[in-house]
Amino acid sequence: MGGSKANTNARIFELLNGIMQPDSFPSKNHMDARLRTIAYDELMGSNPTTLSDIFGKEHADYFVEIKKLSLAGFPTTYSNSSIIKKDEMFSGKQVIGKVRVTNSEIQYWLDKSVQEKGVILCDLQTASNNHTEILNQSLDQQLTENNLPLLKLIDSQGKHGAFLFVPENVKLDGVIKYEINCVNSPDLVTLIKIVSLLGKSSSGNVVFEIESNENNEFMSLLAIQNEIILRDNSSLNFLENQNYSKKSGLFIIERIRQAKNSILNAFFMDQGGAVLERFLGIDLEGEGSEGKITALYRPENSQRYLFDTLQNHRSSHSTSDLLFKGVLGKEAYSKWKGNILVEKNTFGANGYQANNIILMDVSAKAESVPGLEILTDDVRCSHGVTMGNIDKDQMFYLQSRGINKKDAENLIVDGFFLSTVKRIDDEDFRKNFQNTFKI
């Protein structure tokens, strides 16, 4: 590796200097080792010479502000019942499992009654060593699908991770909650991989809370790879609330694979991060599978948000419904690029994608790039994009009734978001959405 770094700048040099050989990781799992080796070879074979080569060229201006970068070390991992409060609830649902991830630790806890049903919740290293056969059901699909440079970095160098397994026919009424807070050290790159596997005819509720300590001024990078696999007839409610440090860079890769008649309801809320890049790919691999994605985002004060979404219909009679809504404040920027793919020899696919934006300030800028790739007949796919400023007629109406300008703007924004919240089937999650965005 030494010769290939000669022409790199100091930041990429330090990052690459911390990259470990695949055999340096403590794993007894041959498939895990193979995945690391493939990702390592592809990453180093691409010969990255700038941070942009790994994290994306859209963020070059942000990287200039970073003086140095190093990879986070191995975390201490252990089961710890003290991370759960007595009778802890989340939006009206009992918390039955929790994982807490920081730069230096991964703590986890799972209710005993849930353990007795065969549910597994632990750090990824423990899963790799102690639940090898189950974990490898998800790793096997990843070996052939690794096209993103950042994904290669996570797969080859990730030291932080967690694993959830829900066995066949097990229905979880409570919530599995992940608390991710990794900004307690400057100039650090933390790589996290989370895998969730739901067996046939099972169901669950999973919540991610990605946040940082209040008034945190550190510049660092957090990259999260979230893999979700839904087997036949399974269903998942997934909620992600992201309010990370507005000094840090956040990169999230979500990949969802759905088998026959599986159902996904996923909700995303983004408010944090100096830069945020979110890749969201949903593969509808089984006939009758349904995926509904709802996202709200609200960047301001020069925050930059980039979204790349893929809805891949690889089976007949599959349904995808994606709706993003954003409100952009002063000097904020967002770019959404979406694509619906319907493969050959499929029938009755139904795909929809939309991105609707309100620009709150003349300095805010946004781009939307929808796309359709239809390789067969007998489909129903469409997209919609809207972008504009606060409606002047609505403002006039509200102010003419004695409402001041700021309150009038807030009412219009609330109404804009509220129509999105109505898409959430679960009443408890719907209330959480409203409270988070103060609707």
Side-chain angles (χ1 to χ4, degrees):
M1 283 175 48
S4 67
K5 301 179 197 170
N7 297 322
T8 61
N9 58 50
R11 287 159 294 175
I12 192 71
F13 178 88
E14 186 166 5
L15 180 67
L16 294 178
N17 196 47
I19 286 181
M20 299 169 54
Q21 296 281 347
D23 57 10
S24 300
F25 287 82
S27 177
K28 304 173 185 177
N29 187 336
H30 295 300
M31 186 172 289
D32 179 42
R34 183 185 171 204
L35 177 62
R36 285 191 183 275
T37 300
I38 293 173
Y40 173 87
D41 289 343
E42 291 181 351
L43 175 67
M44 301 315 298
S46 66
N47 191 30
T49 58
T50 68
L51 293 176
S52 297
D53 291 338
I54 297 176
F55 293 95
K57 300 186 183 303
E58 296 272 5
H59 312 295
D61 291 343
Y62 173 74
F63 293 141
V64 170
E65 303 297 323
I66 299 177
K67 305 304 179 186
K68 60 180 181 177
L69 278 178
S70 57
L71 291 169
F74 285 99
T76 302
T77 63
Y78 55 100
S79 176
N80 183 7
S81 61
S82 67
I83 65 173
I84 189 75
K85 300 175 184 176
K86 184 179 180 180
D87 299 323
E88 183 173 341
M89 307 291 288
F90 180 89
S91 294
K93 296 184 185 297
Q94 185 82 33
V95 177
I96 56 175
K98 181 184 281 191
V99 178
R100 180 175 292 167
V101 182
T102 68
N103 295 116
S104 58
E105 290 185 327
I106 300 176
Q107 305 173 60
Y108 53 91
W109 168 87
L110 185 64
D111 185 89
K112 186 176 180 180
S113 65
V114 180
Q115 294 182 45
E116 291 172 350
K117 296 178 180 179
V119 177
I120 298 170
L121 183 67
C122 60
D123 68 280
L124 200 56
Q125 188 61 54
T126 296
S128 181
N129 292 335
N130 299 346
H131 307 287
T132 304
E133 186 175 340
I134 296 174
L135 175 64
N136 285 356
Q137 294 178 38
S138 65
L139 296 181
D140 184 49
Q141 291 180 295
Q142 297 176 43
L143 289 174
T144 59
E145 298 187 23
N146 190 345
N147 299 320
L148 302 172
L150 179 56
L151 206 54
K152 295 179 175 65
L153 181 66
I154 299 174
D155 275 340
S156 67
Q157 301 300 307
K159 305 179 184 76
H160 295 65
F163 178 63
L164 167 66
F165 170 67
V166 182
E168 185 174 329
N169 296 317
V170 172
K171 312 288 186 182
L172 299 181
D173 295 324
V175 168
I176 303 294
K177 184 180 179 183
Y178 292 80
E179 298 175 344
I180 301 173
N181 186 336
C182 289
V183 180
N184 55 21
S185 179
D187 310 320
L188 201 62
V189 181
T190 305
L191 308 173
I192 301 175
K193 183 174 182 177
I194 298 174
V195 179
S196 300
L197 174 60
L198 274 66
K200 292 180 179 180
S201 301
S202 66
S203 65
N205 305 288
V206 174
V207 173
F208 281 17
E209 290 193 336
I210 306 170
E211 55 188 12
S212 59
N213 299 329
E214 192 174 354
N215 300 321
N216 197 302
E217 296 296 321
F218 291 139
M219 293 188 72
S220 61
L221 302 182
L222 172 62
I224 299 173
Q225 175 186 352
N226 181 27
E227 302 278 348
I228 297 174
I229 300 99
L230 303 181
R231 298 302 192 204
D232 293 355
N233 302 299
S234 63
S235 64
L236 175 67
N237 287 319
F238 179 78
L239 174 65
E240 184 174 308
N241 178 19
Q242 183 276 120
N243 195 11
Y244 210 56
S245 164
K246 291 182 172 60
K247 290 285 187 179
S248 296
L250 184 59
F251 303 83
I252 303 176
I253 299 170
E254 319 260 7
R255 300 197 301 178
I256 303 158
R257 296 174 173 85
Q258 294 189 231
K260 184 178 180 180
N261 294 324
S262 62
I263 298 174
L264 170 76
N265 287 288
F267 325 112
F268 301 90
M269 297 175 286
D270 286 313
Q271 298 182 85
V275 298
L276 165 68
E277 181 158 350
R278 180 186 291 281
F279 171 85
L280 173 61
I282 177 170
D283 281 329
L284 301 163
E285 299 173 342
E287 185 171 350
S289 53
E290 301 178 14
K292 182 162 70 173
I293 307 292
T294 305
L296 305 183
Y297 56 99
R298 197 165 188 173
E300 58 186 2
N301 299 324
S302 301
Q303 288 175 284
R304 294 176 56 85
Y305 284 6
L306 279 73
F307 303 102
D308 187 358
T309 65
L310 298 178
Q311 298 154 252
N312 298 323
H313 291 256
R314 305 191 188 281
S315 59
S316 295
H317 306 293
S318 54
T319 301
S320 67
D321 180 2
L322 180 146
L323 176 61
F324 275 50
K325 280 198 172 186
V327 174
L328 277 61
K330 185 178 181 180
E331 297 183 352
Y333 171 79
S334 73
K335 181 178 180 180
W336 169 78
K337 183 178 68 172
N339 191 64
I340 297 176
L341 167 68
V342 182
E343 291 195 345
K344 294 180 179 179
N345 303 317
T346 60
F347 305 93
N350 186 351
Y352 176 75
Q353 59 177 337
N355 184 40
N356 303 326
I357 295 172
I358 292 180
L359 304 174
M360 300 294 292
D361 190 271
V362 294
S363 62
K365 296 181 180 179
E367 297 180 67
S368 293
V369 187
L372 299 176
E373 189 176 354
I374 313 299
L375 305 180
T376 187
D377 299 322
D378 187 23
V379 299
R380 185 172 64 180
C381 294
S382 61
H383 56 71
V385 171
T386 63
M387 187 185 309
N389 306 108
I390 288 282
D391 188 281
K392 292 182 180 179
D393 291 337
Q394 291 181 344
M395 284 293 295
F396 176 79
Y397 175 83
L398 293 172
Q399 289 183 287
S400 68
R401 279 151 178 76
I403 300 174
N404 64 49
K405 181 180 179 181
K406 184 176 181 180
D407 287 343
E409 288 179 344
N410 289 337
L411 283 171
I412 293 172
V413 169
D414 287 350
F416 177 71
F417 280 145
L418 190 58
S419 61
T420 305
V421 174
K422 292 178 180 178
R423 289 166 49 91
I424 303 173
D425 297 329
D426 188 284
E427 183 178 355
D428 295 325
F429 278 11
R430 190 185 309 128
K431 290 178 181 178
N432 179 273
F433 233 50
Q434 292 178 255
N435 292 335
T436 299
F437 272 77
K438 298 179 175 60
I439 299 173

